[in-house]
Amino acid sequence: MPRLDARLKLVAAEIRGKIHADIGSDHGHLLAALLSADRIERGIAVENKLQPYRNSSATLERLNAEVRLGDGMDVIEKNEIDSLSICGMGGQSIVRILSEHPNRLPKQIVLQPNKAIASVRQWARDNGYWLTDEKCTGIKRRFEVLVFSRFGPPHDPVYQKLNEVGLDEPIGLMFGPWFLLRKDERLLQRLAEEQRYLQSKQNLTQTSRARVETIRRLLSSDHFLSR
Ligand SMILES: C[S@@+](CC[C@H](N)C(=O)[O-])C[C@H]1O[C@@H](n2cnc3c(N)ncnc32)[C@H](O)[C@@H]1O
């Protein structure tokens, strides 16, 4: 049985569906671990490239899983799955995949974007998915795992909660509303390190200057100072 790395372990721990699809399955390890542990009844792996498709097929051969060659949700039917994961891709690719067939998406979605994480939170915020939890691996090798559940409008109440502690929605989308509400130590350490690093550089770009200012505002907010 393939062992999952810390990142995929976090993802696996959040999956609740009986029939689960993993888009961009690559080696197929996530579904193999979920099926072997009886955490799901059936798995559907989706790959758009031939070699990873073959790798997933080999890993999942004797398990209750199907491997499909295709682009994202193109090869998933409406009402076919209870939950969905997309891991190890950039946020923009994830948002594109989610946006192509909105009526095929299941109630639970677990995402692990490598970058452009704010765009994933924004997509969910605009499409009736509430961020029910967010987790992360270490400080230097930080991967964020976002857990969403579809509730439809009204909007995700977590951003209202954030407002009540004096932090606005753009900051929540950027750094993660639950990490902020919990005053997550690892996020704070990472931000303090990033602040030190950016301040030590000369000739910062306008974007970096704006980022330093946002981090400074956040770390000196009443919410964080009162911890
Ligand atoms: C970096 S790997 C991540 C693999 C695995 N999910 C993980 O987190 O370890 C991304 C995988 O997604 C696949 N992929 C990228 N875009 C895809 C799409 N639109 N539909 C299906 N698979 C896709 C790639 O072929 C690649 O195998």
Side-chain angles (χ1 to χ4, degrees):
M1 172 47 40
R3 284 165 65 93
L4 298 182
D5 59 20
R7 174 182 65 88
L8 288 181
K9 269 190 196 155
L10 275 187
V11 172
E14 297 302 328
I15 287 162
R16 300 283 176 269
K18 285 185 180 164
I19 304 179
H20 181 81
D22 185 40
I23 308 276
S25 55
D26 196 355
H27 33 65
H29 291 177
L30 178 64
L31 285 181
L34 288 166
L35 285 161
S36 305
D38 284 332
R39 291 279 321 287
I40 60 171
E41 284 176 12
R42 198 165 99 80
I44 302 173
V46 178
E47 253 305 328
N48 69 349
K49 292 183 198 70
L50 204 51
Q51 192 53 49
Y53 166 81
R54 289 189 180 127
N55 294 344
S56 291
S57 303
T59 305
L60 296 165
E61 199 180 2
R62 290 173 203 287
L63 294 164
N64 190 16
E66 198 185 321
V67 186
R68 299 180 186 171
L69 187 61
D71 180 356
M73 295 298 292
D74 280 3
V75 290
I76 302 287
E77 305 284 324
K78 191 175 174 189
N79 296 327
E80 194 182 10
I81 53 173
D82 306 310
S83 55
L84 171 76
S85 52
I86 311 179
C87 308
M89 291 188 208
Q92 308 289 1
S93 304
I94 291 178
V95 167
R96 183 190 68 75
I97 291 170
L98 295 170
S99 305
E100 301 239 297
H101 300 283
N103 64 346
R104 298 185 191 177
L105 297 177
K107 185 166 169 71
Q108 196 208 22
I109 303 182
V110 182
L111 302 172
Q112 184 271 302
N114 284 343
K115 51 188 180 174
I117 305 178
S119 64
V120 174
R121 292 194 184 94
Q122 180 76 58
W123 170 87
R125 162 84 179 65
D126 296 343
N127 287 278
Y129 280 85
W130 293 9
L131 183 60
T132 56
D133 206 351
E134 44 193 1
K135 301 264 169 72
C136 71
T137 60
I139 298 165
K140 291 225 183 313
R141 296 270 302 154
R142 183 183 169 91
F143 291 105
E144 297 189 5
V145 172
L146 312 183
V147 186
F148 296 102
S149 203
R150 185 176 54 220
F151 287 101
H155 291 312
D156 187 342
V158 74
Y159 295 102
Q160 178 57 34
K161 283 197 184 108
L162 202 59
N163 241 282
E164 287 160 16
V165 300
L167 299 176
D168 60 23
E169 191 176 301
I171 285 216
L173 292 170
M174 196 181 297
F175 298 113
W178 288 113
F179 292 130
L180 294 170
L181 284 168
R182 291 179 193 137
K183 303 177 188 178
D184 183 87
E185 264 313 315
R186 287 187 287 191
L187 174 66
L188 290 175
Q189 279 184 41
R190 200 186 60 118
L191 291 180
E193 271 174 29
E194 188 179 341
Q195 188 182 36
R196 274 195 298 278
Y197 170 74
L198 287 174
Q199 281 171 342
S200 73
K201 285 180 68 163
Q202 287 176 346
N203 302 326
L204 285 184
T205 61
Q206 205 174 348
T207 314
S208 295
R209 275 203 303 277
R211 175 101 180 161
V212 176
E213 174 52 21
T214 306
I215 295 174
R216 189 201 60 73
R217 236 175 356 106
L218 188 58
L219 295 180
S220 59
S221 66
D222 288 346
H223 178 60
F224 283 110
L225 288 180
S226 66
R227 78 184 192 282

